[in-house]
Amino acid sequence: MSRLSILAVLLLLLSVPARADEAASSADPLLQALLQGEAMLASGDYAGLLGVAEKLRLMGANPIDGQSDVAIRWIGEARAHGVTRAILSPRGRALGPGYRRGSLPGGESMTISQVFLGGQPARVALAPAERGSGEALSIAVKDGAGKLLCGGGAICIWEPAYSGRFDIVIANEGDAASDFFVTIR
């Protein structure tokens, strides 16, 4: 990676919000869609919920590690409440972006292993599933040898030199449990 690229990545990381609840205002459309869908579900906006579910499917986003597919769940909720608009077919790459919804008790952490391709930008973003919660959530990314690549905030962006497995560590350093979304690109 050239010095200019490294400088650009460092400047981007410095401009990234430090708090997990500010990650939603980042430029990650997948994370924004997940948070928007949760808000619509909570407010009973089932037509809007169906639209967000369609957007997730069109993005090609898939749940990680056997998680349930929120788009399918949201489509079912919308239909159960009388919304019958047609669902659009998903298109995109075979692996596409991924997401996970989870919960962590205070003081706990969890690790997700994920394969990233060498020479291609990688991005992991974290946000609490509910606004105003999750201030103590953070992520860190480690390579296969356990070397810390980035961490402590709500977004990690890097470019792996080689394809391989990386560990994404999600931590809740607060006292209260917190629900979250993590997106992996």
Side-chain angles (χ1 to χ4, degrees), residues 25 31 33 61 64 76 82 94 110 127 136 142 144 146 156 164 175 178:
S25 63
L31 191 56
I64 301 168
M110 67 181 297
K142 298 178 181 180
C156 285
D175 295 328
S178 189

Side-chain angles (χ1 to χ4, degrees), residues 1 5 9 12 93 96-97 114-124 156-163 166 184-185:
M1 188 185 301
S5 296
V9 168
L12 181 62
R93 296 177 301 163
Q114 181 70 41
V115 174
F116 290 93
L117 300 176
Q120 295 187 17
R123 176 185 172 117
V124 179
C156 285
I157 302 170
W158 78 103
E159 187 171 310
Y162 302 98
S163 296
F166 293 78
I184 301 173
R185 297 177 175 273

Side-chain angles (χ1 to χ4, degrees), residues 24-158:
S25 63
S26 72
D28 188 337
L30 177 57
L31 191 56
Q32 290 174 354
L34 290 165
L35 294 172
Q36 183 181 28
E38 285 292 311
M40 289 178 173
L41 182 62
S43 70
D45 179 359
Y46 298 106
L49 184 65
L50 183 57
V52 173
E54 290 173 349
K55 184 192 299 187
L56 285 176
R57 292 184 67 189
L58 288 172
M59 286 180 185
N62 298 300
I64 301 168
D65 296 336
Q67 293 268 301
S68 64
D69 190 328
V70 296
I72 291 172
R73 183 170 53 96
W74 290 345
I75 290 166
E77 283 286 330
R79 288 185 176 159
H81 287 87
V83 179
T84 59
R85 190 172 50 178
I87 303 301
L88 303 175
S89 298
R91 295 180 182 242
R93 296 177 301 163
L95 294 178
Y99 64 87
R100 180 177 182 147
R101 188 181 202 288
S103 182
L104 274 176
E108 299 278 326
S109 66
M110 67 181 297
T111 302
I112 301 169
S113 292
Q114 181 70 41
V115 174
F116 290 93
L117 300 176
Q120 295 187 17
R123 176 185 172 117
V124 179
L126 175 71
E130 296 178 13
R131 290 269 185 205
S133 67
E135 290 82 12
L137 289 171
S138 66
I139 54 174
V141 176
K142 298 178 181 180
D143 67 12
K147 178 184 171 192
L148 182 66
L149 300 175
C150 61
I155 298 176
C156 285
I157 302 170
W158 78 103

